[in-house]
Amino acid sequence: MTAAAHPHDHDITVGPDAIDFMGHVNNAHYLSWVQDAVLAHWRKIAPPEAVAQHLWVALKHEITYRRPAFLDDRVIATVILEKVQGARASYETIIRRGEDVLAEVKSSWCCVDAETLRPARLASEVVARFFPNEKI
């Protein structure tokens, strides 16, 4: 599947544990936000049995930082599933505070079987839930 799916917004409130010695969110927290947003997207759309049978492992993240985030900021991570091919999925995540883009993230993920921990292809009917306007 190659057409973009509907975006999914994931709300984030910046807490004190995310702040580094420079007074803004430490870069490592952006990765955590991306992971939380992607997994929330999966749990929201996939059927419960698929969620129970599959796990997601990050393969690669490419982050472009635009602006810092600060304590008590309300941030939204918008994830867009771009492509599912075999056991792999490609996401774009845009992290914003209001209209300000804080970071742009391209990431690759591998779906694994929850029992064997081996790469697992998703059934076409599961993938179709993420791309409702496309024929699979």
Side-chain angles (χ1 to χ4, degrees):
M1 189 72 245
T2 57
H6 294 296
H8 170 74
D9 290 337
H10 183 75
D11 294 329
I12 299 158
T13 299
V14 178
D17 60 321
I19 304 303
D20 67 12
F21 67 95
M22 294 177 58
H24 56 68
V25 172
N26 183 279
N27 291 356
H29 283 275
Y30 288 82
L31 288 176
S32 180
W33 294 345
V34 169
Q35 179 170 318
D36 291 348
V38 166
L39 295 179
H41 179 241
W42 165 247
R43 288 188 297 268
K44 178 182 176 185
I45 296 176
E49 59 276 6
V51 172
Q53 295 168 357
H54 299 94
L55 304 172
W56 288 94
V57 177
L59 299 174
K60 178 181 176 181
H61 296 293
E62 181 180 315
I63 303 177
T64 302
Y65 297 99
R66 302 281 182 205
R67 296 174 182 243
F70 301 98
L71 182 64
D72 297 327
D73 277 353
R74 296 196 43 86
V75 175
I76 295 180
T78 301
V79 295
I80 302 164
L81 179 58
E82 296 181 317
K83 179 170 73 170
V84 175
Q85 187 172 16
R88 292 188 180 214
S90 298
Y91 272 92
E92 178 179 24
T93 305
I94 307 295
I95 300 173
R96 289 185 172 87
R97 176 186 56 235
E99 296 298 315
D100 292 334
V101 174
L102 306 179
E104 298 165 307
V105 184
K106 294 278 193 177
S107 57
S108 299
W109 298 78
C110 182
C111 180
V112 296
D113 182 280
E115 197 171 303
T116 66
L117 301 181
R118 303 209 19 99
R121 222 177 246 275
L122 292 173
S124 60
E125 58 271 10
V126 173
V127 174
R129 288 173 166 249
F130 291 85
F131 298 95
N133 298 322
E134 299 295 321
K135 290 188 177 192
I136 306 250

